[in-house]
Amino acid sequence: MAILSDRDIKKCLKTGEIEINPLEDIERQVQPSSVDLRIGSEFKGFRIIKKPFIDPKDPEDLDSYMESMHIDEGESFIIHPNEFALATTYEKVKIPDNFVARVEGRSSMGRLGITMHVTAGYIDAGFEGKITLEISNIGKMPVALYPGQRACQIVFETMTSNADMPYGHPERDSKYMGQTRPESSRIKQDYELKK
């Protein structure tokens, strides 16, 4: 596996092998080995609930503990210390069947104590949609997040061959294919929890 350079990223964007839409400013967003992505305007945060725990087998439980909110342009979403929220990238991405990608936080955000993904920074070959960001504030001060600001970066890697069953394949359980807004966990759809 090899990480794509800026030259190869631009070439793949030009040929349509990789799609990132809308890409506002290719010269500013394409970095030496990644592409900066912006945060969208849709967020999901935890409600304060009176349940002792989240049960991934309870079909009604997962949707009940989060609420959605839309942040208008020029307004901000405030993430407080020790808080967790979901958001999406402003851009929609399409990964070919012979690439994988990773989402990483920008160092400018990390220096504020903001992480952009908890564990799910990996994007499978064949994925298409907006990328859900799992945002945490591990700092000591609240931080304002603005829709449209560059918040993370995507890194592309080539695979040794095309995936036989890429993400979105009809026989694959691709729970988040084509997502356009932050999605709560769909862990209840995991085959081992359906037993």
Side-chain angles (χ1 to χ4, degrees):
M1 291 176 63
I3 293 174
L4 268 61
S5 68
D6 53 358
R7 178 188 310 167
D8 291 327
I9 291 169
K10 287 178 182 178
K11 186 170 86 177
C12 288
L13 288 167
K14 188 173 185 177
T15 63
E17 190 173 8
I18 294 173
E19 294 179 29
I20 301 176
N21 291 307
L23 192 57
E24 184 176 87
D25 189 334
I26 194 167
E27 294 307 317
R28 287 189 176 164
Q29 285 181 258
V30 175
Q31 301 299 318
S33 55
S34 64
V35 179
D36 285 345
L37 299 179
R38 298 169 288 166
I39 198 164
S41 58
E42 302 291 325
F43 290 81
K44 272 193 172 187
F46 279 101
R47 291 184 174 122
I48 297 174
I49 57 175
K50 296 179 180 180
K51 293 183 179 182
F53 59 88
I54 296 169
D55 184 353
K57 284 189 172 185
D58 184 342
E60 296 175 14
D61 194 38
L62 294 175
D63 293 328
S64 69
Y65 69 87
M66 297 196 94
E67 64 181 324
S68 298
M69 56 202 86
H70 177 86
I71 307 298
D72 292 326
E73 187 176 333
E75 298 294 316
S76 64
F77 176 83
I78 308 298
I79 187 156
H80 294 272
N82 299 313
E83 194 171 52
F84 174 81
L86 298 176
T88 60
T89 55
Y90 181 77
E91 295 84 0
K92 179 181 172 184
V93 301
K94 185 174 181 182
I95 312 296
D97 294 351
N98 61 333
F99 284 19
V100 295
R102 286 182 285 125
V103 172
E104 301 289 347
R106 291 184 64 227
S107 66
S108 295
M109 299 301 290
R111 293 167 200 231
L112 298 174
I114 303 300
T115 65
M116 284 295 136
H117 67 84
V118 176
T119 62
Y122 186 82
I123 306 164
D124 271 314
F127 174 82
E128 182 176 350
K130 292 187 176 186
I131 299 166
T132 295
L133 303 174
E134 302 162 339
I135 304 170
S136 291
N137 182 345
I138 60 172
K140 294 193 179 280
M141 296 291 293
V143 176
L145 302 175
Y146 293 90
Q149 94 179 83
R150 291 177 301 134
C152 60
Q153 53 193 334
I154 187 168
V155 177
F156 299 96
E157 296 181 63
T158 58
M159 298 190 341
T160 56
S161 63
N162 284 25
D164 284 337
M165 289 180 50
Y167 200 83
H169 187 280
E171 294 178 36
R172 180 167 297 290
D173 182 22
S174 303
K175 298 185 285 271
Y176 305 106
M177 185 67 156
Q179 65 188 13
T180 59
R181 49 189 337 175
E183 297 291 343
S184 299
S185 175
R186 293 181 178 168
I187 196 168
K188 64 186 173 193
Q189 295 175 16
D190 284 0
Y191 69 89
E192 69 274 15
L193 295 179
K194 288 181 178 180
K195 292 178 185 178

